[in-house]
Amino acid sequence: MSALMTPATKHDQPDKRPILLDVKNLEVCFHTPEGTVYAVNNISYQVREGEVLAVVGESGCGKSVSMMALLGLIPKPPGDIAGGQAFFMDRDLLPMSEEELASIRGGEIAMVFQDPMTSLNPVLSVRRQMTESLLRHYDMTGEQAEKRAIELMELVGIPDPERRLGDYPHQFSGGMRQRVMIAMMLACNPSLLIADEPTTALDVTIQAQIIELMVRMREHLGLALIWITHDLGVVAGLAERVIVMYAGMIVEEADVDNLFENPQHPYTLALLGALPRVDRRRDSRLKSIPGAPPNLLIAPRGCPFAPRCEYTFDRCREERPPLFSISAGQHSACWIDLATGKPRER
């Protein structure tokens, strides 16, 4: 049986964990001298308590922008949250003031960024940076905050934490800097941790160590994790559920098993086809996706993947497909049923 015909798997049972984050119809754009960039276009998704959600897609698809918008990290101007809601523990994050968001950032929601060298302040010691959030969110003395910082550095595997606490970011290797960032984000026991491609700037061996650390920390602390990446290979062993984004839109959502065994959008299928495989013949070539991503200065119309898709027909170019329900927990924004090759109706 081909991958396209694989039936839905054991994950068809509904997830009964409480909803932690509920994003509805989020739209983000940037007003530039060249015109309006439509970065995130009407996306909706949920994250449940303790869940690991991966958000995948190529560079520029809106993965990071959609998450930064939730925490008020989009510069205004040129950024503009044009619409939507984002309920975190039943509180809408989007209309909150900077002061309200500051009380949530680092405390209830934490974010680990791609390059720790640009995230850490080079002129402040690790001690100063690690104790800052503890002193802000908790009624702690400096001595108590320092003790907690040492415990966290030990937890994430930094050797000799008492001595290293006084060091500066440039005195740490790339992998150790990322461990410092993770320790800082875990300091206030957040309910949700957002990891924005935290292993991209690291070599392969260190990448594996950081991913293993994140998995261990999530299991140890019971927090929910959103992992932003362009690497589907990482997703396979990490996530429970996956959102695939393209041109600022969600084109597919599924649990991780169904995504790999039964992809339902041509873009997902193309991404999987481009993955290196150990069982691939030596003389076979990796498949590339023809064409280029759409110009986000042009307001979205129809399916954004239509110019690069082998299944395209007239309706794809004229009308944006909704997220069709394929099975419990799996949705695809495609006018074609890949299993039958026939068009879908609303």
Side-chain angles (χ1 to χ4, degrees), residues 149-331:
I150 291 170
E151 291 173 352
L152 287 162
M153 290 177 71
E154 191 172 11
L155 186 67
V156 299
I158 297 174
D160 196 8
E162 294 90 345
R163 182 180 63 83
R164 301 304 313 263
L165 195 62
D167 288 347
Y168 288 80
H170 72 272
Q171 294 175 278
F172 290 80
S173 67
M176 284 298 164
R177 282 196 293 267
Q178 198 60 287
R179 287 173 186 264
V180 169
M181 280 298 302
I182 293 168
M184 288 172 59
M185 295 305 102
L186 297 177
C188 296
N189 297 317
S191 301
L192 174 63
L193 179 62
I194 301 171
D196 186 3
E197 304 204 49
T199 62
T200 299
L202 308 175
D203 64 55
V204 175
T205 304
I206 305 301
Q207 281 185 26
Q209 293 176 4
I210 295 298
I211 292 169
E212 182 184 359
L213 171 64
M214 294 288 279
V215 171
R216 194 167 70 248
M217 292 299 97
R218 190 203 69 81
E219 292 173 348
H220 178 67
L221 300 172
L223 49 77
L225 174 63
I226 299 177
W227 189 281
I228 303 170
T229 184
H230 62 269
D231 187 350
L232 274 172
V234 170
V235 168
L238 177 68
E240 298 173 55
R241 196 161 54 88
V242 186
I243 286 173
V244 181
M245 289 189 67
Y246 183 79
M249 302 179 189
I250 293 176
V251 295
E252 184 162 1
E253 178 181 359
D255 69 72
V256 69
D257 288 348
N258 276 339
L259 188 88
F260 281 86
E261 297 173 9
N262 190 32
Q264 288 295 314
H265 194 279
Y267 179 59
T268 311
L269 200 62
L271 287 179
L272 291 171
L275 273 180
R277 296 172 59 104
V278 294
D279 59 350
R280 195 185 296 272
R281 288 174 46 188
R282 286 189 177 184
D283 58 349
S284 65
R285 297 174 63 88
L286 291 175
K287 295 180 181 178
S288 61
I289 304 175
N295 184 355
L296 296 182
L297 286 167
I298 301 172
R301 179 185 178 185
C303 174
F305 191 60
R308 308 173 73 183
C309 180
E310 61 182 286
Y311 299 92
T312 299
F313 66 111
D314 290 344
R315 190 174 191 179
C316 302
R317 301 182 184 91
E318 299 298 325
E319 188 178 352
R320 178 181 171 182
L323 274 169
F324 290 98
S325 179
I326 308 302
S327 61
Q330 184 168 16
H331 303 84

